[in-house]
Amino acid sequence: MVEGPGCTLNGEKIRSKVKTGQKVREVRGSLTANNVFVSFLGCQYSGVETLGKELFVYFGSRALRVHFGMNGSMRINPTQRKVKTGSAAALEIHLTNDIVAFFDSTVEIRLTEDCEQKVRAAESLDMCSSRFSLSRSEDAVRSQSSRMLCDVLLDQVVMPGVGNIIKNEALFDSGLHPAVKVQQLTEEHIRHLVKMTRDFTLLFYKCRKTGSPLYKHYKVYKRPQCGQCSRVITVCRLGDNGRMTYFCERCQNGDPSRVDISKLPLRNSLIGWTYNERSSDDVAKKEEEDWACQLCTLINQPAAKCCDACLTPKPEGDNEASPFTADLIKYPCNAFKKPQEELKVNWRSAFGTSTLVFSDMSKKPKPVNSPLSQAGSHLNSLAAERGLYKNSFCQGTTSPNYASGGWQRQSAELSKRESLASYSHPSKKMRIDHTTEGHVTYNYYQQTSLHIPTAPCCASHCRPAVLRVVHKEGENKGRLFYTCSLPRETKCNFFEWADLRFPFCHHGKRCLMRTVLKLGPNNGRTFYTCSLQKGKQCDFFQWAESRSGVSILPGC
């Protein structure tokens, strides 16, 4: 779902790249079959506004209301190559000098006056708006006293722009269970919930605008384990609309009276979070920071009262004028914690020898008495035998076989000699993608803690295949299959059904694997059921744990 920050950015793109005053020359797209948009021909483009997940494009007295849905997108002056390779546009508006195309979106005709009134009436509730009012948002939440928080946050009348990602992460930051009702909250809890929702929305907006990955800030959304306590995330369908909900039963309390806001963890983001007066153990205090002499610019020790070179006294007072930098690590070298894990590899190329440094910036708390601790040490020892040292530079130059896939062949030989079940893979792996001759691309991807049986290897590249799900309408919709893991341009035609070991239902068809999403003792368990539609299904049922199958992450 394109949430409020994405819609706001689309509006900003149109506002900055498409000049007002242009006239509509032509209207194309799949939505123009019934000729309802022909009336816009000759109309003058006068502006664009956004409200939550809605985008309003004004053409004189009439307007277009655009909703991007789950996978909607927008392009300005799209090239012919992109149009041919992608899906057909739902609506293309050809102006005098520009073209605005909307893909996989819903477009409706509205009156400009009605749209402007709607924006003015609710812009103070829009989480992405510069006119956002905290007090009015608190009143709107307080008026929904009998509803659950998971429903209130997704209500576009109460909180325009909030989607499922913001809902789950904001509730986690607030320490509240999604099923808690508003009437159970105190004034302080409501204020803190609104602030956390607003803050994560702005973080969402900042990541989308700068192109930085948002998933690194996820604590519960589509994660197998909690980003704070490493407990298994509970996944269920909750609320009036049954939206997918992710929460941690340990960090999010069902009793708001037990939630102490002053002890909730803080995010170390680009924006100022609530309760800035609180300090973190990872943030250096002012008296613990190295300071620079204003005269000779020498960096002095924190305890020095004057400069060691010119004897200039240490400056007094805080020079930081911004109130939003209290919880930021301004000097990472002063963060008193264990050094970050790094993997440094010397790589010989045509221009000489260069050092590749792979750093893990995320926080991964290790659970006490974890069975993976021995496995991790075993894996580190195996990596050390092969010259992949952590927290140190590799000695000498790397073998050319590393860049040509020798590292993967060594891993394959390892799997033949040693049991892979004796240890678990690290949470992040390095994948080498060979896109063109002589070019190697290094990618990091998240590895879930759920075990997936050994995937088959494609015949052309001898690489482990990836698991996919059929989304196309038909009798195979929902089935799992294996395909080549390389990008579309270089992948081979390897294909294999992943459910060949799944049992047959009473109709003689392969079963589908489902996941229990109801809250209860069986939440998260997988089971086999009939693959037909709900009205035509038989009563076949079998737990998947009792047979060989594929474990999948619930909700993905």
Side-chain angles (χ1 to χ4, degrees), residues 17-33:
K17 295 183 179 181
V18 181
K19 294 183 178 180
T20 59
Q22 302 183 59
K23 292 186 178 182
V24 179
R25 296 187 295 105
E26 187 180 1
V27 180
R28 299 178 184 176
S30 58
L31 297 178
T32 60

Side-chain angles (χ1 to χ4, degrees), residues 501-503 512-516 524-529 540-552:
R501 293 178 292 177
F502 287 12
L512 290 180
M513 178 176 288
R514 304 292 189 187
T515 305
V516 179
R525 294 185 64 183
T526 53
F527 61 93
Y528 298 114
T529 184
F540 180 86
F541 177 87
Q542 180 178 316
W543 290 112
E545 289 85 355
S546 60
R547 299 237 348 214
S548 58
V550 181
S551 298
I552 59 176

Side-chain angles (χ1 to χ4, degrees), residues 470 480-484 492-497:
V470 177
L480 301 170
F481 64 93
Y482 289 105
T483 184
C484 183
C492 60
N493 297 326
F494 176 78
F495 178 87
E496 181 179 313
W497 289 113

Side-chain angles (χ1 to χ4, degrees), residues 282-295:
D282 293 335
V283 182
K285 298 179 180 179
K286 192 64 181 178
E287 61 270 15
E288 298 171 336
E289 297 175 356
D290 296 340
W291 58 279
C293 178
Q294 297 179 350
L295 183 61

Side-chain angles (χ1 to χ4, degrees), residues 204-222:
F204 196 135
Y205 171 84
K206 189 74 173 180
C207 290
R208 288 290 185 261
K209 188 171 184 178
T210 59
S212 59
L214 179 66
Y215 71 89
K216 292 185 178 181
H217 299 277
Y218 293 165
K219 299 295 184 182
V220 291
Y221 182 73
K222 286 191 176 181

Side-chain angles (χ1 to χ4, degrees), residues 267-439:
R267 290 180 185 263
N268 205 16
S269 65
L270 298 175
I271 55 180
W273 293 85
T274 181
Y275 301 101
N276 280 329
E277 65 271 11
R278 290 179 292 170
S279 61
S280 175
D281 294 336
D282 293 335
V283 182
K285 298 179 180 179
K286 192 64 181 178
E287 61 270 15
E288 298 171 336
E289 297 175 356
D290 296 340
W291 58 279
C293 178
Q294 297 179 350
L295 183 61
C296 65
T297 69
L298 178 69
I299 304 299
N300 296 274
Q301 294 294 328
K305 301 298 183 182
C306 60
C307 179
D308 293 337
C310 62
L311 301 180
T312 301
K314 179 179 179 181
E316 297 181 358
D318 192 359
N319 296 327
E320 294 289 341
S322 175
F324 301 106
T325 57
D327 287 329
L328 299 184
I329 299 181
K330 293 174 289 187
Y331 302 94
C333 59
N334 292 337
F336 305 107
K337 59 181 179 180
K338 185 178 179 180
Q340 300 169 352
E341 282 193 353
E342 289 184 350
L343 177 63
K344 299 183 179 181
V345 178
N346 290 330
W347 187 26
R348 179 179 295 176
S349 62
F351 303 100
T353 302
S354 58
T355 301
L356 304 180
V357 182
F358 302 94
S359 300
D360 188 2
M361 304 297 293
S362 60
K363 297 181 180 179
K364 296 182 178 62
K366 297 182 179 179
V368 183
N369 299 329
S370 172
L372 299 180
S373 57
Q374 298 179 357
S377 60
H378 177 61
L379 182 63
N380 292 336
S381 63
L382 294 175
E385 293 175 2
R386 286 155 181 78
L388 302 179
Y389 298 94
K390 293 184 176 181
N391 295 324
S392 63
F393 285 95
C394 292
Q395 305 298 325
T397 59
T398 305
S399 172
N401 291 334
Y402 185 87
S404 61
W407 180 78
Q408 292 177 323
R409 288 194 292 271
Q410 290 178 358
S411 300
E413 295 173 1
L414 168 66
S415 62
K416 296 178 182 179
R417 299 193 306 266
E418 303 181 38
S419 174
L420 290 177
S422 61
Y423 64 90
S424 175
H425 290 284
S427 57
K428 279 184 182 269
K429 290 172 47 179
M430 184 173 64
R431 183 175 68 188
I432 307 179
D433 289 343
H434 299 264
T435 55
T436 57
E437 185 176 358
H439 177 71

